[in-house]
């Protein structure tokens, strides 16, 4: 079902554009041209954040933190096995999907832990990554309360996810 | 961001100096290489979606979408500029479809337009960040794909809990942002 959505959107768009007498080829090229400068300008931000995440993981700090935080997370019903995933999720999309894959193969895709992990990833985002990339083209230095709110929501989402997986 | 990054890097390197000093530069360069490969991938992905976006704009479909989402955006962002509104409408729609990478260029454009040059995030920018950080996603396609690849009996049975969880995190995000904004305005008025 979901695999039909994207092609349908494209068909509708192309037909609509044709109907409005837009030159589809020229317009598409015009848009695609913008992708190179955009990526050139966000690459330094992506690299910088990924370097910090790699160092955190190699140094073992994430595992250490996971052990340290396990009583607190356990209090809210979050399994210890998922803490590293929750800690890394705000920083890296590819990294957290790699961790999810580990969880799926280690515990079996239909286990409680795996289902929690899926819901946690599904209801959260790579907060730091998204924020850095989004403000990279602006002059903003002070984000005020944006990050704390986002992180709080992510934690709330993780707790809710584990709870929902228990009942549903 | 400056503080967080500094803490992450200095903490990790000070740990590694005791445990595995040879690995520091290696893992930094590896990460940077990974970022470079990701960027090339993103460049390809963005080319498709920016071409798509240009068509949406030129054909006037963007205006229609913005018009449809106007009441919601008006309530959340409180902005006047119709071009910005269009970008936000597209950003939210792409997020809902689970196309995070397609949403990014539109989000960046919207942020640029919301920037007032003061160096401090405006309430509308904070709302856009929170919305993207708690993004409502209707179909977690990647996760379902990973589950079925791992041999799940019912890969899509996480859709309903995910929808419920994502709905509530998003709602919480919006409520918190709005409440803090109101409190700040109140404080400002009291000071005067």
């Amino acid at each position: 079902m979901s695999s039909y959505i994207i092609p349908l959107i494209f068909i509708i768009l192309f037909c609509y554009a044709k109907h409005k007498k837009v030159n589809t080829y020229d317009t598409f090229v015009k848009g695609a041209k913008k992708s190179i400068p955009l990526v050139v300008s966000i690459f330094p931000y992506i690299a910088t954040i990924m370097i910090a995440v790699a160092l955190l993981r190699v140094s073992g700090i994430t595992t250490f933190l996971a052990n340290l935080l396990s009583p607190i997370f356990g209090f809210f019903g979050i399994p210890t096995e998922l803490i590293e995933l929750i800690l890394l999720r705000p920083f890296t999309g590819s990294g957290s999907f790699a961790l999810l894959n580990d969880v799926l193969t280690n515990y079996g895709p239909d286990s409680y832990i795996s289902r929690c992990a899926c819901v946690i990833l599904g209801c959260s985002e790579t907060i730091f990554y998204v924020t850095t990339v989004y403000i990279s083209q602006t002059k903003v230095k002070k984000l005020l309360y944006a990050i704390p709110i986002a992180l709080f929501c992510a934690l709330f989402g993780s707790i809710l996810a584990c709870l929902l997986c228990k009942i549903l | 961001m400056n503080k967080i990054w500094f803490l992450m890097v200095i903490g990790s390197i000070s740990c590694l100096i005791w445990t595995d000093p040879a690995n520091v530069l290696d893992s930094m360069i590896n990460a940077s290489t990974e970022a470079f490969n990701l960027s090339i991938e993103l460049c390809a992905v963005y080319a498709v979606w920016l071409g798509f976006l240009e068509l949406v704009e030129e054909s006037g479909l963007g205006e229609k979408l913005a018009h449809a989402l106007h009441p919601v955006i008006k309530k959340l962002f409180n902005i006047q500029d119709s071009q910005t509104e269009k970008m936000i409408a597209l950003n939210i729609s792409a997020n809902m479809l689970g196309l995070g990478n397609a949403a990014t260029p539109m989000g960046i454009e919207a942020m640029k337009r919301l920037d007032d040059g003061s160096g401090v995030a405006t309430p509308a920018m904070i709302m856009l960040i929170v919305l993207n950080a708690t993004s409502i996603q209707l179909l977690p396609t990647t996760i379902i794909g990973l589950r079925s690849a791992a041999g799940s009996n019912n890969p899509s049975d996480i859709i309903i809990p995910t929808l419920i969880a994502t709905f509530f995190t998003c709602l919480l995000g919006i409520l918190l942002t709005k409440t803090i904004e109101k409190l700040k305005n109140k404080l400002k008025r009291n000071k005067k």
Side-chain angles (χ1 to χ4, degrees):
Chain A
M1 173 23 211
S2 62
S3 50
Y4 291 105
I5 294 177
I6 307 265
L8 271 177
I9 292 175
F10 272 95
I11 290 177
I12 292 169
L13 175 69
F14 286 131
C15 292
Y16 187 79
K18 197 84 219 147
H19 169 70
K20 288 275 166 179
K21 299 198 170 53
V22 174
N23 291 323
T24 46
Y25 171 80
D26 291 336
T27 315
F28 202 93
V29 170
K30 201 175 139 205
K33 224 178 242 171
K34 295 179 189 159
S35 95
I36 294 175
L38 180 67
V39 170
V40 167
S41 59
I42 62 174
F43 165 72
Y45 296 91
I46 300 180
T48 310
I49 200 157
M50 281 176 85
I51 288 170
V53 172
L55 285 173
L56 264 191
R57 290 197 67 186
V58 176
S59 67
I61 287 187
T62 44
T63 348
F64 173 74
L65 276 179
N67 288 331
L68 198 72
L69 291 172
S70 78
I72 306 169
F73 279 70
F75 176 76
F76 290 110
I78 298 173
T80 318
E81 295 85 341
L82 298 179
I83 297 176
E84 200 182 355
L85 183 77
I86 295 172
L87 289 181
L88 281 176
R89 174 60 173 161
F91 297 97
T92 154
S94 53
S96 48
F97 275 106
L99 273 178
L100 173 66
N101 221 2
D102 290 348
V103 171
L104 288 176
T105 36
N106 288 342
Y107 299 95
D110 293 315
S111 64
Y112 171 65
I113 289 187
S114 294
R115 296 183 65 226
C116 284
C118 289
V119 179
I120 289 171
L121 276 201
C123 74
S124 57
E125 252 299 335
T126 45
I127 298 170
F128 287 99
Y129 173 82
V130 165
T131 312
T132 355
V133 171
Y134 274 38
I135 64 161
S136 62
Q137 308 300 308
T138 67
K139 291 197 176 70
V140 171
K141 292 274 173 261
K142 283 208 172 89
L143 277 170
L144 308 174
Y145 44 89
I147 300 263
I149 290 184
L151 286 177
F152 179 75
C153 290
L155 182 66
F156 169 79
S158 307
I159 297 169
L160 189 63
C162 294
L163 198 73
L164 285 168
C165 282
K166 246 177 214 156
I167 34 180
L168 287 172
Chain B
M1 211 55 225
N2 276 317
K3 270 182 235 154
I4 298 169
W5 196 80
F6 177 77
L7 280 178
M8 282 168 82
V9 172
I10 207 80
S12 313
I13 298 181
S14 346
C15 272
L16 280 168
I17 229 167
W18 302 104
T19 53
D20 196 1
N23 215 344
V24 173
L25 191 59
D26 275 356
S27 50
M28 284 173 92
I29 290 171
N30 273 341
S32 180
T33 315
E34 216 179 290
F36 188 73
N37 290 334
L38 176 69
S39 298
I40 290 176
E41 225 170 90
L42 284 177
C43 188
V45 175
Y46 289 167
V48 174
W49 288 113
L50 283 166
F52 175 93
L53 179 65
E54 200 69 34
L55 273 175
V56 170
E57 287 240 11
E58 292 264 322
S59 65
L61 212 60
E63 258 115 51
K64 285 214 164 129
L65 188 66
H67 196 76
L69 289 173
H70 178 76
V72 186
I73 295 175
K74 179 102 191 119
K75 236 195 158 79
L76 292 180
F77 292 92
N78 201 11
I79 46 168
Q80 307 300 330
D81 185 38
S82 67
Q83 182 68 18
T84 318
E85 207 171 283
K86 208 161 58 183
M87 284 301 150
I88 294 176
L90 287 166
N91 174 269
I92 294 175
S93 318
N95 268 324
M96 280 178 131
L97 291 172
L99 305 167
N101 282 332
T104 309
M106 305 155 198
I108 293 175
E109 187 60 36
M111 279 293 182
K112 255 201 237 167
R113 298 184 143 272
L114 288 172
D115 190 18
D116 59 1
S118 66
V120 182
T122 61
M125 293 172 97
I126 293 176
M127 183 57 89
L128 189 61
I129 289 176
V130 171
L131 269 190
N132 271 283
T134 60
S135 73
I136 280 217
Q137 198 187 17
L138 300 180
L139 281 169
T141 39
T142 323
I143 295 173
I144 296 174
L146 281 177
R147 283 194 85 200
S148 64
S152 165
N153 293 325
N154 188 1
S156 49
D157 79 335
I158 48 122
I159 290 183
I160 290 171
T162 307
L163 271 180
I164 300 175
T166 200
F167 174 77
F168 279 107
T169 48
C170 200
L171 195 68
L172 179 72
I174 293 171
L175 287 177
L176 281 176
T177 316
K178 279 284 166 200
T179 320
I180 295 181
E181 206 184 304
K182 268 190 199 138
L183 280 175
K184 273 190 81 179
N185 285 341
K186 230 183 200 170
L187 278 176
K188 251 188 215 160
R189 247 178 281 139
N190 285 347
K191 263 185 198 162
K192 275 174 194 167

